[in-house]
Amino acid sequence: LNMDRFLDKGQHDILMNDVKTDYSKSDGIKVIGAGLPRTGTLSLKTALTQLYSGRCYHMLDVFTGDQEDVDVWVKAVRGDMKPQDWKEYFGKKNYATGVDFPFSLFYKDILAAYPDAKVVLSTRDPKTWHGSVFNSIYQIKVLVKRHPTVPLLLGLFDCRNPSVLDMQEVMGNTVPHGCKVSFTEAIEGGPKVAEKFFNDWEAEVRRTVPSENLLVASAKEGWAPLCKFVGLPVPENDYPRVNDTASIQKMIRNIWIINGFVFYVLPTSIAVGTYVFRAELAPVVQAVVKTVLGCKDR
């Protein structure tokens, strides 16, 4: 059992491309994505993977990764990740770039480890950001809070301790530098609070990263600004347009369907089947009981 069972086909294909492709050894992080989730980060991940012919870190990599892919970010929240730790981790995993939470939450720390890296602040209309987050990734949190069997289900598929849910809880309650509230508080506070959080986040990125080393761009601008910024030729294919909202909603639906089957349909079917075939099962149960009691008496 593993967490990729919940992914939709598009998300799964992106991850499988990383697994199947024999990338050359990366000599460090070249591009640091400092944009918040829901700013076209999955499209940017796909674009950077193509441009650098190397792996790009994203939340999907944590969701389906190993124990270290959770532990590193929990340590980062505690302030226990030093520049050399980041280099060892990303070097071992062979990443060339990174975007999205949890990576972007620690863009300052990662930039300290890779001072020559370019920084891309993926952006969007701040007024629409809350709705985008609330209707996609935040619904996982809603599902977990409303249905107590969902954490149990995810625990069956994710045996890591701490788990992805534990990591997300810790990170979601962390107040980033330059912001007044945490990511979770921003979404739960509504559109106005979320808009301020978004603007505060971007202002802090602009304040921290020298302008000559920073690109602020949205997915709708395509390849041109990104390729010019990193000094690479524009590919012939169109800029990736990954419908991340639809993928996340399908993932949530998959979690809900599997949860219903495991904790409701399956137990009910077993109970009904046991009742219907109770006469046939009775001799079997009696034989098992006699065998168990017989072994106990020996």
Side-chain angles (χ1 to χ4, degrees), residues 79-161:
D80 293 339
M81 288 292 290
K82 303 296 185 283
Q84 188 57 36
D85 298 326
W86 290 115
K87 290 179 180 179
E88 290 177 2
Y89 172 65
F90 290 123
K92 179 168 57 177
K93 299 279 186 173
N94 199 33
Y95 284 98
T97 59
V99 299
D100 198 56
F101 272 16
F103 187 95
S104 61
L105 181 60
F106 300 97
Y107 73 92
K108 290 183 182 181
D109 296 340
I110 299 172
L111 184 58
Y114 301 97
D116 294 330
K118 301 279 189 178
V119 178
V120 175
L121 176 60
S122 51
T123 188
R124 63 176 298 150
D125 182 355
K127 294 184 182 300
T128 65
W129 181 70
H130 174 270
S132 179
V133 174
F134 187 84
N135 292 319
S136 57
I137 56 178
Y138 187 75
Q139 289 304 308
I140 298 176
K141 187 177 183 68
V142 172
L143 199 62
V144 168
K145 289 175 67 175
R146 289 183 178 175
H147 304 282
T149 54
V150 170
L152 298 176
L153 175 73
L154 296 179
L156 291 175
F157 286 82
D158 185 6
C159 297
R160 293 172 288 183
N161 185 24

Coordinates of all heavy atoms in Angstrom, one line a residue, residues 79-161:
G79 N 13.8 24.5 12.6 CA 15.1 25.2 12.4 C 16.3 24.4 12.4 O 17.4 24.9 12.7
D80 N 16.2 23.1 12.2 CA 17.3 22.2 12.4 C 18.0 21.8 11.1 O 18.9 21.0 11.1 CB 16.8 20.9 13.0 CG 16.4 21.1 14.5 OD1 16.8 22.1 15.1 OD2 15.6 20.2 15.0
M81 N 17.6 22.4 10.0 CA 18.2 22.1 8.7 C 19.3 23.2 8.4 O 18.9 24.4 8.2 CB 17.2 22.1 7.6 CG 16.3 20.8 7.6 SD 17.2 19.3 7.2 CE 17.5 19.5 5.5
K82 N 20.5 22.8 8.3 CA 21.6 23.7 7.9 C 21.9 23.6 6.4 O 21.5 22.6 5.8 CB 22.9 23.3 8.7 CG 22.7 23.3 10.2 CD 22.3 24.7 10.7 CE 22.2 24.8 12.2 NZ 21.0 24.2 12.8
P83 N 22.6 24.6 5.9 CA 22.9 24.5 4.4 C 23.5 23.2 3.9 O 23.0 22.7 2.9 CB 23.9 25.7 4.2 CG 23.5 26.7 5.3 CD 23.1 25.8 6.5
Q84 N 24.4 22.6 4.7 CA 24.9 21.3 4.3 C 23.9 20.2 4.3 O 23.9 19.3 3.4 CB 26.1 20.9 5.2 CG 26.9 19.7 4.7 CD 27.4 19.8 3.3 OE1 27.8 20.9 2.9 NE2 27.4 18.8 2.6
D85 N 22.9 20.3 5.2 CA 21.8 19.3 5.3 C 21.0 19.4 4.0 O 20.6 18.3 3.4 CB 21.0 19.5 6.5 CG 21.7 19.4 7.8 OD1 22.6 18.5 7.8 OD2 21.4 20.1 8.8
W86 N 20.7 20.6 3.5 CA 19.9 20.7 2.3 C 20.7 20.2 1.1 O 20.1 19.5 0.3 CB 19.6 22.2 2.1 CG 18.6 22.8 3.0 CD1 18.9 23.8 3.9 CD2 17.2 22.5 3.2 NE1 17.7 24.2 4.6 CE2 16.7 23.4 4.2 CE3 16.4 21.6 2.6 CZ2 15.4 23.3 4.6 CZ3 15.0 21.6 3.0 CH2 14.6 22.4 4.0
K87 N 22.0 20.4 1.1 CA 22.8 20.0 -0.1 C 22.8 18.4 -0.1 O 22.7 17.8 -1.1 CB 24.2 20.5 0.0 CG 24.3 22.0 -0.2 CD 25.7 22.5 -0.1 CE 25.8 24.0 -0.4 NZ 27.2 24.5 -0.2
E88 N 23.0 17.8 1.1 CA 23.0 16.4 1.2 C 21.7 15.8 0.7 O 21.6 14.8 0.0 CB 23.4 15.9 2.6 CG 24.8 16.3 2.9 CD 25.2 15.9 4.4 OE1 24.3 15.3 5.1 OE2 26.3 16.1 4.8
Y89 N 20.6 16.4 1.2 CA 19.3 15.8 0.9 C 18.9 15.9 -0.6 O 18.6 14.9 -1.2 CB 18.2 16.6 1.8 CG 16.8 16.2 1.4 CD1 16.3 14.9 1.6 CD2 15.9 17.2 0.8 CE1 15.0 14.6 1.3 CE2 14.6 16.9 0.5 CZ 14.2 15.6 0.8 OH 12.9 15.3 0.4
F90 N 19.0 17.1 -1.1 CA 18.7 17.3 -2.5 C 19.7 16.6 -3.5 O 19.3 16.1 -4.5 CB 18.6 18.8 -2.9 CG 17.4 19.4 -2.3 CD1 17.5 20.6 -1.5 CD2 16.1 19.0 -2.5 CE1 16.4 21.2 -0.9 CE2 15.0 19.6 -2.0 CZ 15.1 20.7 -1.1
G91 N 20.9 16.5 -3.0 CA 21.9 15.8 -3.8 C 21.7 14.3 -3.9 O 21.8 13.7 -4.9
K92 N 21.3 13.8 -2.7 CA 21.0 12.3 -2.7 C 19.8 12.0 -3.5 O 19.7 11.0 -4.2 CB 20.8 11.9 -1.2 CG 20.5 10.5 -1.0 CD 20.6 10.0 0.4 CE 19.7 10.9 1.3 NZ 19.7 10.5 2.7
K93 N 18.8 12.9 -3.5 CA 17.6 12.7 -4.2 C 17.7 13.1 -5.7 O 16.8 12.8 -6.5 CB 16.4 13.4 -3.6 CG 16.1 13.0 -2.1 CD 15.3 11.8 -2.1 CE 14.9 11.5 -0.6 NZ 13.9 10.4 -0.6
N94 N 18.8 13.8 -6.0 CA 19.1 14.2 -7.4 C 18.0 15.2 -8.0 O 17.5 15.0 -9.1 CB 19.2 13.0 -8.3 CG 19.9 13.3 -9.6 OD1 20.8 14.1 -9.6 ND2 19.5 12.7 -10.7
Y95 N 17.8 16.2 -7.2 CA 16.9 17.3 -7.7 C 17.7 18.5 -8.2 O 18.7 18.8 -7.7 CB 16.0 17.8 -6.5 CG 14.8 16.8 -6.2 CD1 14.9 15.9 -5.2 CD2 13.7 16.8 -7.0 CE1 13.9 15.1 -4.9 CE2 12.7 15.9 -6.7 CZ 12.8 15.0 -5.7 OH 11.8 14.2 -5.4
A96 N 17.1 19.0 -9.3 CA 17.8 20.2 -9.9 C 17.1 21.5 -9.7 O 17.6 22.6 -9.7 CB 17.9 20.0 -11.4
T97 N 15.7 21.4 -9.4 CA 14.9 22.5 -9.1 C 13.8 22.2 -8.1 O 13.7 21.0 -7.7 CB 14.2 23.1 -10.4 OG1 13.4 22.0 -10.9 CG2 15.2 23.5 -11.4
G98 N 13.1 23.1 -7.6 CA 12.0 22.8 -6.7 C 10.9 23.9 -6.7 O 11.3 25.1 -6.8
V99 N 9.7 23.6 -6.4 CA 8.6 24.5 -6.4 C 7.6 24.0 -5.4 O 7.6 22.9 -4.9 CB 7.9 24.7 -7.7 CG1 8.8 25.2 -8.8 CG2 7.3 23.3 -8.2
D100 N 6.6 24.9 -5.0 CA 5.4 24.5 -4.2 C 5.8 24.2 -2.8 O 7.0 24.1 -2.4 CB 4.7 23.3 -4.8 CG 3.3 23.0 -4.3 OD1 2.5 24.0 -4.5 OD2 3.0 22.0 -3.8
F101 N 4.8 24.3 -1.9 CA 5.0 23.9 -0.5 C 5.3 22.4 -0.5 O 4.8 21.6 -1.3 CB 3.8 24.1 0.3 CG 3.7 25.5 1.0 CD1 4.5 26.5 0.5 CD2 2.8 25.7 2.0 CE1 4.4 27.8 1.1 CE2 2.7 27.0 2.6 CZ 3.5 28.0 2.1
P102 N 6.2 21.8 0.3 CA 6.9 22.6 1.4 C 8.2 23.3 1.0 O 8.7 24.1 1.7 CB 7.2 21.4 2.4 CG 7.4 20.2 1.5 CD 6.4 20.4 0.4
F103 N 8.6 23.0 -0.3 CA 9.9 23.6 -0.8 C 9.9 25.1 -0.7 O 10.8 25.7 -0.1 CB 10.1 23.2 -2.2 CG 11.4 23.5 -2.8 CD1 12.5 22.6 -2.8 CD2 11.6 24.8 -3.4 CE1 13.7 23.0 -3.4 CE2 12.8 25.1 -4.0 CZ 13.8 24.2 -3.9
S104 N 8.8 25.7 -1.2 CA 8.8 27.2 -1.2 C 8.7 27.9 0.1 O 9.1 29.0 0.3 CB 7.7 27.7 -2.2 OG 6.4 27.3 -1.7
L105 N 8.1 27.1 1.1 CA 8.0 27.7 2.4 C 9.4 28.0 3.0 O 9.5 28.9 3.8 CB 7.2 26.7 3.4 CG 7.0 27.2 4.8 CD1 6.2 28.4 4.9 CD2 6.3 26.0 5.6
F106 N 10.4 27.3 2.6 CA 11.7 27.4 3.1 C 12.7 28.0 2.0 O 13.9 27.6 2.0 CB 12.2 26.1 3.6 CG 11.4 25.6 4.8 CD1 10.4 24.6 4.5 CD2 11.6 26.1 6.1 CE1 9.6 24.2 5.5 CE2 10.7 25.6 7.1 CZ 9.7 24.7 6.8
Y107 N 12.2 28.8 1.1 CA 13.0 29.3 0.1 C 14.2 30.1 0.6 O 15.3 30.0 0.0 CB 12.2 30.2 -0.9 CG 11.8 31.6 -0.3 CD1 12.6 32.7 -0.5 CD2 10.6 31.7 0.4 CE1 12.3 33.9 0.0 CE2 10.3 33.0 0.9 CZ 11.1 34.1 0.7 OH 10.8 35.3 1.2
K108 N 14.1 30.8 1.7 CA 15.2 31.5 2.2 C 16.3 30.6 2.7 O 17.5 30.8 2.4 CB 14.8 32.4 3.4 CG 13.9 33.5 3.1 CD 13.6 34.3 4.3 CE 12.7 35.5 4.0 NZ 12.4 36.3 5.2
D109 N 16.0 29.5 3.4 CA 17.0 28.5 3.9 C 17.6 27.8 2.7 O 18.9 27.6 2.7 CB 16.3 27.5 4.8 CG 15.7 28.1 6.0 OD1 16.1 29.2 6.4 OD2 14.8 27.5 6.6
I110 N 16.9 27.5 1.7 CA 17.4 26.8 0.5 C 18.3 27.7 -0.3 O 19.3 27.3 -0.8 CB 16.3 26.2 -0.3 CG1 15.5 25.2 0.5 CG2 16.8 25.5 -1.6 CD1 14.2 24.6 -0.2
L111 N 17.9 29.0 -0.4 CA 18.8 29.9 -1.1 C 20.1 30.1 -0.3 O 21.1 30.4 -1.0 CB 18.0 31.3 -1.2 CG 18.7 32.4 -2.0 CD1 19.0 31.9 -3.4 CD2 17.8 33.6 -2.0
A112 N 20.1 30.0 1.0 CA 21.3 30.1 1.7 C 22.3 29.0 1.4 O 23.5 29.1 1.4 CB 21.0 30.2 3.2
A113 N 21.7 27.8 1.1 CA 22.5 26.7 0.7 C 22.9 26.7 -0.7 O 24.0 26.2 -1.1 CB 21.7 25.4 0.9
Y114 N 22.1 27.4 -1.6 CA 22.4 27.5 -3.0 C 22.3 29.0 -3.4 O 21.4 29.4 -4.1 CB 21.5 26.7 -3.8 CG 21.5 25.2 -3.5 CD1 20.5 24.7 -2.6 CD2 22.4 24.4 -4.1 CE1 20.5 23.3 -2.3 CE2 22.4 23.0 -3.8 CZ 21.4 22.5 -2.9 OH 21.4 21.1 -2.6
P115 N 23.3 29.8 -3.0 CA 23.2 31.3 -3.2 C 23.3 31.7 -4.7 O 22.9 32.8 -5.0 CB 24.5 31.8 -2.5 CG 25.4 30.6 -2.4 CD 24.5 29.4 -2.3
D116 N 23.7 30.8 -5.6 CA 23.7 31.1 -7.0 C 22.4 30.7 -7.8 O 22.3 30.9 -9.0 CB 24.9 30.4 -7.7 CG 26.3 30.9 -7.2 OD1 26.3 32.1 -6.8 OD2 27.2 30.1 -7.1
A117 N 21.5 30.1 -7.0 CA 20.3 29.7 -7.7 C 19.4 30.8 -8.1 O 19.4 31.9 -7.4 CB 19.5 28.7 -6.7
K118 N 18.7 30.7 -9.1 CA 17.7 31.7 -9.6 C 16.4 31.4 -8.7 O 16.1 30.3 -8.4 CB 17.3 31.5 -11.1 CG 18.5 31.7 -12.0 CD 18.8 33.1 -12.2 CE 19.9 33.3 -13.3 NZ 20.2 34.7 -13.6
V119 N 15.6 32.5 -8.5 CA 14.4 32.4 -7.7 C 13.2 32.8 -8.6 O 13.2 33.9 -9.2 CB 14.4 33.3 -6.5 CG1 13.1 33.2 -5.7 CG2 15.6 32.9 -5.6
V120 N 12.2 32.0 -8.7 CA 11.0 32.2 -9.5 C 9.8 32.4 -8.5 O 9.5 31.4 -7.8 CB 10.8 31.2 -10.5 CG1 9.4 31.4 -11.2 CG2 11.9 31.1 -11.5
L121 N 9.2 33.5 -8.5 CA 8.0 33.7 -7.7 C 6.8 33.6 -8.7 O 6.4 34.5 -9.4 CB 8.0 35.1 -7.1 CG 6.8 35.5 -6.3 CD1 6.5 34.6 -5.1 CD2 6.9 37.0 -5.8
S122 N 6.2 32.4 -8.6 CA 5.0 32.2 -9.4 C 3.9 32.9 -8.8 O 3.7 32.9 -7.5 CB 4.7 30.7 -9.6 OG 4.7 30.0 -8.3
T123 N 3.0 33.6 -9.6 CA 2.0 34.4 -9.0 C 0.7 34.3 -9.7 O 0.6 33.6 -10.7 CB 2.5 35.9 -9.0 OG1 1.6 36.7 -8.3 CG2 2.6 36.4 -10.4
R124 N -0.3 34.9 -9.2 CA -1.7 35.0 -9.8 C -2.4 36.1 -9.2 O -1.9 36.9 -8.4 CB -2.4 33.7 -9.5 CG -2.6 33.4 -8.0 CD -3.5 32.2 -7.7 NE -4.8 32.3 -8.3 CZ -5.5 31.2 -8.7 NH1 -5.0 30.0 -8.6 NH2 -6.7 31.4 -9.2
D125 N -3.7 36.3 -9.5 CA -4.5 37.4 -9.0 C -4.7 37.1 -7.5 O -5.3 36.0 -7.2 CB -5.8 37.4 -9.7 CG -6.8 38.6 -9.2 OD1 -6.4 39.2 -8.2 OD2 -7.8 38.7 -9.8
P126 N -4.3 37.9 -6.6 CA -4.4 37.6 -5.1 C -5.9 37.5 -4.7 O -6.2 36.7 -3.8 CB -3.8 38.9 -4.5 CG -2.9 39.5 -5.5 CD -3.6 39.2 -6.8
K127 N -6.8 38.1 -5.4 CA -8.2 38.1 -5.1 C -8.8 36.7 -5.3 O -9.9 36.3 -4.7 CB -9.0 39.2 -5.8 CG -8.6 40.6 -5.4 CD -9.5 41.6 -6.1 CE -9.1 43.0 -5.7 NZ -9.2 43.3 -4.3
T128 N -8.3 35.9 -6.2 CA -8.8 34.6 -6.6 C -8.1 33.5 -5.9 O -8.5 32.3 -6.0 CB -8.8 34.4 -8.1 OG1 -7.4 34.3 -8.5 CG2 -9.5 35.5 -8.9
W129 N -7.0 33.8 -5.2 CA -6.2 32.8 -4.6 C -6.9 32.0 -3.5 O -6.8 30.7 -3.5 CB -4.9 33.4 -4.0 CG -4.0 32.4 -3.4 CD1 -3.2 31.4 -4.1 CD2 -3.7 32.2 -2.0 NE1 -2.5 30.7 -3.2 CE2 -2.7 31.2 -1.9 CE3 -4.1 32.8 -0.9 CZ2 -2.2 30.7 -0.7 CZ3 -3.6 32.4 0.4 CH2 -2.7 31.4 0.4
H130 N -7.6 32.7 -2.6 CA -8.3 32.0 -1.6 C -9.3 30.9 -2.1 O -9.3 29.7 -1.7 CB -9.1 32.9 -0.7 CG -10.0 32.3 0.3 ND1 -11.3 31.9 0.1 CD2 -9.7 31.9 1.6 CE1 -11.8 31.3 1.2 NE2 -10.8 31.3 2.1
G131 N -10.1 31.3 -3.1 CA -11.0 30.3 -3.7 C -10.4 29.1 -4.3 O -10.8 28.0 -4.2
S132 N -9.2 29.4 -4.9 CA -8.5 28.3 -5.6 C -8.0 27.3 -4.5 O -8.1 26.1 -4.7 CB -7.3 28.9 -6.4 OG -6.6 27.8 -7.0
V133 N -7.4 27.8 -3.4 CA -6.9 27.0 -2.4 C -8.0 26.2 -1.7 O -8.0 25.0 -1.5 CB -6.1 27.8 -1.3 CG1 -5.7 26.9 -0.2 CG2 -4.9 28.4 -2.0
F134 N -9.1 27.0 -1.3 CA -10.2 26.4 -0.6 C -10.9 25.3 -1.3 O -11.3 24.3 -0.7 CB -11.2 27.5 -0.2 CG -12.3 27.1 0.7 CD1 -12.1 27.0 2.1 CD2 -13.5 26.6 0.2 CE1 -13.1 26.6 2.9 CE2 -14.5 26.2 1.1 CZ -14.3 26.2 2.4
N135 N -11.0 25.5 -2.6 CA -11.7 24.5 -3.4 C -10.9 23.3 -3.9 O -11.3 22.4 -4.6 CB -12.4 25.1 -4.6 CG -13.5 26.1 -4.2 OD1 -14.3 25.8 -3.3 ND2 -13.6 27.2 -4.9
S136 N -9.6 23.3 -3.5 CA -8.7 22.2 -3.9 C -8.0 21.6 -2.7 O -8.6 20.8 -2.0 CB -7.7 22.7 -5.0 OG -7.0 23.8 -4.5
I137 N -6.8 22.1 -2.4 CA -6.0 21.4 -1.4 C -6.5 21.5 0.0 O -6.4 20.6 0.8 CB -4.5 21.9 -1.4 CG1 -4.5 23.4 -1.2 CG2 -3.8 21.5 -2.7 CD1 -3.0 24.0 -1.2
Y138 N -7.3 22.6 0.3 CA -7.8 22.7 1.6 C -8.9 21.7 1.9 O -9.2 21.4 3.0 CB -8.4 24.1 1.8 CG -8.8 24.4 3.3 CD1 -7.9 24.6 4.3 CD2 -10.2 24.4 3.6 CE1 -8.2 24.8 5.6 CE2 -10.6 24.6 4.9 CZ -9.6 24.8 5.9 OH -10.0 25.1 7.2
Q139 N -9.5 21.2 0.8 CA -10.6 20.2 1.0 C -10.1 18.9 1.6 O -10.9 18.1 2.2 CB -11.3 20.0 -0.3 CG -12.2 21.1 -0.7 CD -13.2 21.5 0.3 OE1 -14.0 20.7 0.8 NE2 -13.2 22.8 0.7
I140 N -8.8 18.6 1.5 CA -8.2 17.4 2.1 C -8.3 17.6 3.6 O -8.7 16.7 4.4 CB -6.7 17.2 1.7 CG1 -6.7 17.0 0.2 CG2 -6.1 16.1 2.5 CD1 -5.3 16.9 -0.3
K141 N -8.0 18.8 4.1 CA -8.1 19.1 5.5 C -9.5 19.0 6.0 O -9.8 18.5 7.1 CB -7.5 20.5 5.8 CG -7.4 20.9 7.3 CD -6.8 22.2 7.5 CE -6.6 22.6 8.9 NZ -5.6 21.7 9.6
V142 N -10.5 19.5 5.2 CA -11.9 19.4 5.5 C -12.3 18.0 5.7 O -13.0 17.6 6.6 CB -12.7 20.2 4.5 CG1 -14.2 19.9 4.7 CG2 -12.4 21.7 4.5
L143 N -11.9 17.2 4.7 CA -12.2 15.7 4.7 C -11.7 15.0 6.0 O -12.4 14.3 6.6 CB -11.6 15.1 3.5 CG -12.2 13.8 3.0 CD1 -13.7 13.9 2.6 CD2 -11.4 13.2 1.8
V144 N -10.5 15.4 6.3 CA -9.9 14.8 7.5 C -10.6 15.2 8.8 O -10.8 14.4 9.7 CB -8.4 15.1 7.6 CG1 -7.8 14.8 9.0 CG2 -7.6 14.5 6.5
K145 N -11.0 16.4 8.9 CA -11.7 17.0 10.1 C -13.1 16.4 10.2 O -13.5 16.1 11.3 CB -11.7 18.5 10.1 CG -10.3 19.1 10.3 CD -10.4 20.6 10.1 CE -11.2 21.3 11.2 NZ -11.2 22.8 11.1
R146 N -13.8 16.3 9.1 CA -15.2 15.9 9.2 C -15.4 14.4 9.3 O -16.4 13.9 9.8 CB -15.9 16.4 7.9 CG -16.1 17.9 7.9 CD -16.9 18.3 6.7 NE -17.1 19.8 6.7 CZ -17.7 20.4 5.6 NH1 -18.1 19.8 4.6 NH2 -17.8 21.7 5.7
H147 N -14.5 13.6 8.8 CA -14.7 12.2 8.8 C -13.5 11.5 9.5 O -12.4 11.3 8.9 CB -14.8 11.7 7.3 CG -15.9 12.4 6.6 ND1 -17.2 12.1 6.7 CD2 -15.8 13.4 5.7 CE1 -17.9 12.8 5.9 NE2 -17.1 13.7 5.3
P148 N -13.7 11.0 10.7 CA -12.6 10.4 11.5 C -12.0 9.2 10.9 O -10.9 8.8 11.3 CB -13.3 10.1 12.8 CG -14.8 10.1 12.5 CD -15.0 11.0 11.4
T149 N -12.7 8.5 10.0 CA -12.1 7.3 9.3 C -11.1 7.7 8.3 O -10.2 6.8 7.9 CB -13.2 6.5 8.7 OG1 -14.0 7.3 7.8 CG2 -14.2 5.9 9.8
V150 N -11.1 8.9 7.8 CA -10.1 9.3 6.7 C -8.7 9.2 7.2 O -7.8 8.7 6.5 CB -10.5 10.7 6.1 CG1 -9.4 11.2 5.2 CG2 -11.8 10.6 5.3
P151 N -8.4 9.8 8.4 CA -7.0 9.7 8.9 C -6.6 8.2 9.1 O -5.4 7.9 8.8 CB -7.0 10.4 10.2 CG -8.2 11.4 10.1 CD -9.2 10.7 9.3
L152 N -7.5 7.4 9.5 CA -7.2 5.9 9.6 C -6.9 5.3 8.3 O -6.0 4.5 8.1 CB -8.4 5.2 10.2 CG -8.8 5.6 11.6 CD1 -10.1 4.9 12.1 CD2 -7.7 5.4 12.6
L153 N -7.7 5.7 7.2 CA -7.4 5.2 5.9 C -6.0 5.6 5.4 O -5.3 4.8 4.9 CB -8.5 5.7 4.9 CG -8.3 5.4 3.5 CD1 -8.6 3.9 3.2 CD2 -9.1 6.3 2.6
L154 N -5.7 6.9 5.5 CA -4.4 7.4 5.1 C -3.3 6.8 5.9 O -2.2 6.5 5.3 CB -4.4 9.0 5.3 CG -5.4 9.8 4.4 CD1 -5.3 11.2 4.7 CD2 -5.2 9.5 2.9
G155 N -3.6 6.4 7.1 CA -2.6 5.7 7.9 C -2.3 4.3 7.4 O -1.2 3.8 7.5
L156 N -3.3 3.7 6.8 CA -3.1 2.4 6.2 C -2.2 2.4 5.0 O -1.4 1.5 4.7 CB -4.5 1.8 5.8 CG -5.5 1.4 6.9 CD1 -6.8 0.9 6.2 CD2 -4.9 0.2 7.7
F157 N -2.3 3.5 4.2 CA -1.5 3.7 3.0 C -0.2 4.4 3.3 O 0.7 4.3 2.5 CB -2.3 4.4 2.0 CG -3.4 3.6 1.3 CD1 -4.6 3.4 2.0 CD2 -3.2 3.0 0.1 CE1 -5.6 2.7 1.4 CE2 -4.2 2.2 -0.5 CZ -5.4 2.0 0.2
D158 N -0.1 5.2 4.3 CA 1.1 6.0 4.6 C 1.6 5.6 6.0 O 1.1 6.1 7.0 CB 0.8 7.5 4.6 CG 2.1 8.3 4.8 OD1 3.2 7.7 4.8 OD2 1.9 9.6 4.8
C159 N 2.5 4.7 6.1 CA 3.0 4.1 7.3 C 4.1 5.0 7.9 O 4.7 4.6 9.0 CB 3.5 2.7 7.2 SG 2.1 1.6 6.7
R160 N 4.4 6.1 7.3 CA 5.5 7.0 7.8 C 5.1 7.6 9.2 O 3.9 7.9 9.4 CB 5.8 8.0 6.8 CG 6.5 7.5 5.6 CD 6.6 8.5 4.5 NE 5.4 8.9 3.9 CZ 5.3 9.8 2.9 NH1 6.4 10.3 2.4 NH2 4.1 10.1 2.3
N161 N 6.0 7.8 10.0 CA 5.8 8.5 11.3 C 7.0 9.4 11.7 O 8.0 8.9 11.9 CB 5.6 7.4 12.4 CG 5.2 8.1 13.8 OD1 4.7 9.2 13.8 ND2 5.6 7.4 14.8

